[in-house]
Amino acid sequence: MYEYIKGILTENTPTSVVVETGGIGWQVNIPLSTFEALQNCKGEVKLLLHEVIREDAWILYGFMTERERGLFRLLIGVSGVGPGTAVLILSSLSVDELEQIISSGDHKRLKIVKGIGAKTAERIIVDLKDKIKPVDQTLSIQPGLAGGMVNDVYEEALAALMALGFPKPASQKALQRIFDATPSIKVEGAIKQALAIIK
């Protein structure tokens, strides 16, 4: 199993990156938290990996921190939670938020994630509560972009939502509400808010 990849970041989108190493470009699926962390990275980057091998595909998932990867691995160990759903959870909730939700047993907040119903949310809480340490860190809100770039941010957020499996009309409607309220919002903020709106 691959432990990590280190190379030049050649593409960075909210759902996947391409890291070039040894003349080969590796596509790696990432959660939104990793996309945020890579925003200001230039040149060489290092991502911790988890590989999923299926009959029809060989997929790499990448994470900036061990906490992210550890939570991903705990989540996919829960019955009914696959890699795609785990990435969606980590894209909808920060690591701190998710640890707080699990440690406090707040299964209702887990249901804001697409595809997570009451039974799955409760199963995640029951299976992982004893494996997560409570977190007391204060959560911070990311400031929005100053000035323009609204169109580029909107288009990138829309593309990311569609890549996550959301229909285009619902994604556009959610993003329109978000940008009407906060025109200077960052792409990662827009995606997070849209994930909470779209059902």
Side-chain angles (χ1 to χ4, degrees):
M1 179 176 287
Y2 294 112
E3 177 64 17
Y4 65 86
I5 186 170
K6 183 186 289 186
I8 304 299
L9 183 68
T10 60
E11 292 182 28
N12 183 23
T13 76
T15 55
S16 67
V17 297
V18 173
V19 179
E20 182 179 337
T21 178
I24 299 174
W26 298 85
Q27 184 176 32
V28 183
N29 293 320
I30 59 170
L32 191 58
S33 51
T34 295
F35 168 74
E36 292 174 17
L38 290 171
Q39 284 289 79
N40 297 318
C41 289
K42 294 180 180 179
E44 191 173 73
V45 298
K46 178 181 177 181
L47 290 176
L48 302 175
L49 296 177
H50 179 90
E51 61 179 316
V52 174
I53 300 174
R54 303 190 319 224
E55 289 184 6
D56 60 340
W58 179 64
I59 306 170
L60 292 175
Y61 293 90
F63 310 90
M64 282 295 290
T65 68
E66 187 56 55
R67 283 178 72 201
E68 283 181 321
R69 183 170 67 173
L71 273 173
F72 174 83
R73 287 175 169 172
L74 287 174
L75 286 167
I76 63 175
V78 176
S79 177
V81 179
T85 301
V87 166
L88 195 54
I89 292 172
L90 288 170
S91 295
S92 303
L93 302 163
S94 71
V95 170
D96 289 339
E97 287 175 315
L98 183 56
E99 288 182 346
Q100 288 176 340
I101 288 169
I102 293 171
S103 62
S104 65
D106 188 3
H107 66 274
K108 291 182 180 179
R109 286 183 64 195
L110 270 178
K111 293 192 293 183
I112 68 169
V113 181
K114 181 189 177 187
I116 301 295
K119 290 184 178 179
T120 302
E122 290 172 6
R123 193 179 303 120
I124 290 172
I125 297 293
V126 171
D127 287 2
L128 303 186
K129 191 170 184 179
D130 292 339
K131 300 176 183 177
I132 299 293
K133 294 180 181 179
V135 176
D136 297 322
Q137 296 173 340
T138 301
L139 304 177
S140 61
I141 298 174
Q142 295 287 341
L145 285 172
M149 297 178 68
V150 173
N151 288 339
D152 289 344
V153 172
Y154 176 91
E155 292 299 330
E156 191 169 359
L158 178 61
L161 290 168
M162 292 173 64
L164 289 168
F166 292 96
K168 186 174 182 179
S171 299
Q172 290 174 319
K173 185 176 179 181
L175 288 173
Q176 190 62 55
R177 280 177 53 187
I178 293 163
F179 280 90
D180 284 347
T182 315
S184 61
I185 195 168
K186 281 186 175 182
V187 62
E188 56 267 27
I191 295 168
K192 279 188 176 181
Q193 288 191 30
L195 289 173
I197 294 172
I198 304 172
K199 283 294 183 183

